[in-house]
């Protein structure tokens, strides 16, 4: 009891504060997302995400070198294809944009870990994460036929050089299907980072500009989770563990720190948190208005994800964060 107990004693100098600091964020915790587009010499800034660009493969390679030099261990690749169709051909074709980018990055920076986002929404005409029944305008993706496409996509990404497969479509059984596909093709050593608890979130808005992947009609609520549900995330996580996931992701991160915490409590697998586009853009917008300190708010946010239990953080702020940490 006070006055015996005075917690402020351990906060009185910066050296003491350093000694009792519980959570430290480093470059090794971060994963940097990149958006690949066809063409050459292209760097097109995403209007709703200042500092984030759609990049042609040559520019992706340059970026990958920079990321590696900063000590960030991994990138995650998203692709914007030339053409979209009902079968998401651009996702699973061996000459797909993510495949090309993965191969080029592995050639130029072999040590950088390349994670391939494995989903179909960027490649389908309707922008949903799988097959739709002909005439469906609600977006109720057909689960089991979609698994076949995801399997093909994952194998083709692994063939192209991807080190980790990260399925993000929230289809039932997708981890098992992809594990089978990878194993059959001889990729039994390629890990799966499952977007295990992914919510139907309005925070994805700017990403859909970046990836040109907004659903043309309907929404994703028949496959992504209801933001109101916490226990359901644990169910999803348990299933993905049983199906053979090597790592688990919670997405988004900021409004879902309780989920990160609860997931961490029930698993010994590494847990990743996706600091999504809307979370990034909110900080950027406020900072550009001079309303908040971008550096301090970002580092505080990233530290909080780690404190909540995240081992890895996917963030558009990864390069900035490392530069700030190095200052
Ligand atoms: C789709 C996908 C989404 C994100 C990554 N892959 C969300 C969606 O459009 O439903 C969001 C990432 C972000 O907002 O930063 N499979
Ligand atoms: Zn998708």
């Amino acid at each position: 009891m006070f006055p015996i107990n005075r917690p402020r004693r351990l906060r009185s100098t910066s050296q003491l504060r350093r000694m009792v600091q519980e959570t430290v964020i480093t470059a090794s915790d971060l994963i940097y997302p990149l958006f690949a587009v066809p063409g050459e010499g292209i760097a097109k800034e995403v209007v709703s995400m200042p500092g984030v660009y759609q990049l042609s493969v040559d520019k992706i390679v340059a970026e990958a070198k920079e990321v590696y030099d900063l000590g960030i261990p991994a990138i995650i690749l998203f692709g914007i294809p030339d053409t979209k169709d009902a079968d998401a051909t651009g996702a699973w074709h061996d000459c797909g944009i993510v495949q090309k980018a993965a191969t080029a990055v592995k050639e130029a920076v072999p040590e950088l870990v390349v994670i391939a986002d494995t989903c179909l929404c960027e490649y389908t005409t309707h922008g949903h994460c799988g097959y739709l029944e002909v005439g469906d305008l609600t977006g109720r993706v057909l689960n089991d036929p979609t698994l076949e496409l995801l399997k093909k996509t994952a194998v083709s990404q692994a063939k192209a050089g991807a080190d980790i497969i990260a399925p993000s479509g929230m289809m039932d059984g997708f981890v098992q299907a992809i594990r089978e596909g990878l194993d059959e093709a001889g990729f039994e050593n390629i890990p799966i980072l499952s977007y295990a608890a992914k919510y139907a979130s309005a925070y994805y808005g700017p990403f859909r500009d970046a990836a040109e992947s907004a659903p043309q009609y309907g929404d994703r609520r028949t496959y992504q989770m209801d933001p109101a549900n916490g226990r359901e995330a644990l169910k999803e996580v348990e299933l993905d563990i049983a199906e053979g996931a090597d790592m688990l992701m919670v997405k988004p991160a900021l409004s879902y720190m309780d989920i990160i915490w609860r997931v961490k409590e029930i698993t010994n697998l590494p847990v990743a948190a996706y600091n999504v586009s809307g979370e990034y853009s909110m900080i950027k917008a406020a900072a550009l208005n001079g309303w908040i300190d971008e550096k301090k708010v970002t580092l505080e946010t990233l530290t909080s994800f780690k404190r909540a239990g995240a081992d890895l953080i996917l963030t558009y702020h990864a390069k900035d964060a490392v530069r700030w940490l190095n200052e």
Side-chain angles (χ1 to χ4, degrees):
M1 276 300 141
F2 180 81
I4 307 278
N5 271 306
R6 288 181 181 273
R8 289 183 57 194
R9 285 182 197 125
L10 295 180
R11 295 179 204 138
S12 57
T13 70
S14 63
Q15 291 296 80
L16 272 169
R17 289 194 295 272
R18 260 179 71 208
M19 289 170 69
V20 298
Q21 186 174 338
E22 298 174 30
T23 311
V24 181
I25 172 120
T26 71
S28 318
D29 305 322
L30 307 177
I31 298 168
Y32 190 56
L34 289 170
F35 298 94
V37 290
E40 233 196 279
I42 296 169
K44 191 174 165 219
E45 192 166 27
V46 180
V47 175
S48 54
M49 301 179 75
V52 173
Y53 298 80
Q54 295 181 335
L55 301 169
S56 50
V57 171
D58 54 315
K59 299 275 187 182
I60 292 259
V61 167
E63 194 75 4
K65 286 183 186 148
E66 200 183 318
V67 168
Y68 179 74
D69 288 340
L70 281 166
I72 297 166
I75 57 170
I76 180 164
L77 289 174
F78 297 94
I80 298 104
D82 255 331
T83 55
K84 303 179 189 243
D85 58 33
D87 298 317
T89 307
W92 48 264
H93 202 279
D94 287 342
C95 301
I97 184 68
V98 162
Q99 286 80 351
K100 280 187 189 158
T103 304
V105 169
K106 289 309 290 184
E107 203 178 288
V109 205
E111 282 183 57
L112 184 68
V113 174
V114 172
I115 305 173
D117 179 87
T118 304
C119 202
L120 308 169
C121 44
E122 293 116 88
Y123 310 92
T124 51
T125 332
H126 44 65
H128 280 286
C129 304
Y131 278 122
L132 292 186
E133 197 108 52
V134 178
D136 181 315
L137 293 179
T138 61
R140 206 167 291 142
V141 169
L142 300 169
N143 196 87
D144 299 9
T146 298
L147 296 181
E148 292 309 309
L149 286 188
L150 290 174
K151 226 166 152 166
K152 264 205 315 199
T153 304
V155 170
S156 146
Q157 291 169 334
K159 262 201 276 176
D163 299 295
I164 297 178
I165 297 300
S168 62
M170 288 296 281
M171 293 301 123
D172 294 337
F174 71 168
V175 172
Q176 182 182 316
I178 288 172
R179 186 71 273 158
E180 272 173 24
L182 290 173
D183 289 1
E184 277 163 22
F187 294 111
E188 61 279 342
N189 289 319
I190 296 288
I192 297 175
L193 162 58
S194 175
Y195 287 64
K198 177 172 176 181
Y199 287 88
S201 171
Y203 284 95
Y204 305 150
F207 173 91
R208 293 177 187 174
D209 296 339
E212 300 177 16
S213 63
Q216 297 305 298
Y217 38 80
D219 55 48
R220 302 208 206 285
R221 285 182 295 175
T222 69
Y223 39 108
Q224 298 177 351
M225 285 174 32
D226 184 339
N229 295 354
R231 290 190 303 270
E232 193 183 355
L234 304 185
K235 178 175 82 181
E236 284 283 359
V237 158
E238 279 162 1
L239 289 170
D240 283 9
I241 295 170
E243 289 177 27
D246 299 279
M247 297 189 269
L248 303 161
M249 194 194 298
V250 174
K251 178 182 175 187
L254 200 51
S255 296
Y256 299 84
M257 291 222 210
D258 57 326
I259 307 299
I260 298 172
W261 176 263
R262 289 169 75 181
V263 167
K264 188 68 183 177
E265 281 200 309
I266 64 160
T267 180
N268 293 316
L269 296 185
V271 174
Y274 200 139
N275 176 210
V276 300
S277 56
E279 300 169 7
Y280 172 85
S281 299
M282 289 196 303
I283 292 182
K284 276 283 173 194
L288 285 167
N289 272 301
W291 295 338
I292 59 172
D293 181 323
E294 182 178 11
K295 169 179 156 181
K296 285 186 177 158
V297 169
T298 300
L299 293 178
E300 180 178 333
T301 305
L302 298 178
T303 304
S304 304
F305 296 146
K306 203 167 172 196
R307 190 198 62 231
D311 301 290
L312 294 163
I313 302 163
L314 296 90
T315 179
Y316 305 98
H317 264 124
K319 288 195 305 171
D320 293 331
V322 173
R323 286 193 199 105
W324 290 326
L325 289 168
N326 289 341
E327 271 171 14

